[in-house]
Amino acid sequence: MGYREFKLEIPSISNFKLKFIFLAHFTLLALSTLHPWAPSAFLLQALVFLFLLLNTLVKEGEDHVILCLSINIVSILLDIIILSVHFPSSRMGSTAEFSAVMAIFNLLFRLYSSYALYNEWCARSGTAGVTVADAGKVPKYAGGGEGGSVRSGSVLAHYPGMSNSP
């Protein structure tokens, strides 16, 4: 009686980040609407965002991503306004408070989804987006110092491996 080895191979999923974002926003939206504490504007702007996110998943091109990112950024501001004006009191019950907390989680998740949509926009448009230079890759001066001014001679003479001649 021996052991059998089972292997589970999960196929790769295209646009996994966008599909994960859709599923997370859909779930958080469903949980935030368990109690009707928020006005219909909250549901409307969330459904428009989910529709545009589905449109971004289905269609190629950067226009759909830009529109979805724009609605997501505007929705962050609208969520803050709706939460601050219509946050349920303790008299409304624990379901209303739970729904509002899920709306707060949805708001916080919008920050990540904006970042992921921005990266998707950069990938579809072929640009690098915002890049940050690594401080470890900046060449140091030959004298071992970290800075200073060079008033005479070529600046390239102060870097190791560089010469003054063209």
Side-chain angles (χ1 to χ4, degrees):
M1 184 172 235
Y3 292 103
R4 290 186 183 175
E5 184 176 330
F6 291 102
K7 291 185 180 182
L8 176 65
E9 292 184 26
I10 299 174
S12 64
I13 300 172
S14 63
N15 290 331
F16 178 74
K17 281 186 183 180
L18 294 180
K19 290 177 182 175
F20 173 73
I21 288 170
F22 177 80
L23 181 65
H25 278 296
F26 180 77
T27 304
L28 290 171
L29 178 64
L31 292 175
S32 65
T33 57
L34 285 175
H35 189 274
W37 62 274
S40 58
F42 177 76
L43 185 61
L44 176 68
Q45 56 98 7
L47 289 176
V48 167
F49 170 71
L50 287 177
F51 174 74
L52 289 173
L53 189 58
L54 276 177
N55 198 14
T56 301
L57 282 168
V58 173
K59 297 181 180 178
E60 292 295 323
E62 61 186 271
D63 293 337
H64 306 289
V65 182
I66 294 170
L67 188 58
C68 187
L69 177 62
S70 303
I71 294 296
N72 196 26
I73 291 171
V74 169
S75 293
I76 290 172
L77 178 66
L78 292 175
D79 281 352
I80 291 171
I81 293 170
I82 289 171
L83 281 167
S84 62
V85 172
H86 295 284
F87 194 84
S89 64
S90 59
R91 293 177 291 157
M92 294 180 77
S94 59
T95 306
E97 289 178 352
F98 176 78
S99 297
V101 169
M102 291 300 114
I104 292 172
F105 287 156
N106 192 24
L107 171 65
L108 294 174
F109 192 70
R110 283 190 186 278
L111 299 174
Y112 171 73
S113 61
S114 294
Y115 174 73
L117 284 169
Y118 174 74
N119 285 338
E120 182 71 20
W121 176 34
C122 291
R124 288 189 185 188
S125 65
T127 61
V130 177
T131 57
V132 179
D134 187 12
K137 294 182 181 178
V138 175
K140 295 190 178 211
Y141 296 108
E146 287 295 321
S149 64
V150 178
R151 302 226 179 240
S152 63
S154 173
V155 175
L156 294 178
H158 295 283
Y159 289 102
M162 299 289 186
S163 64
N164 287 353
S165 62

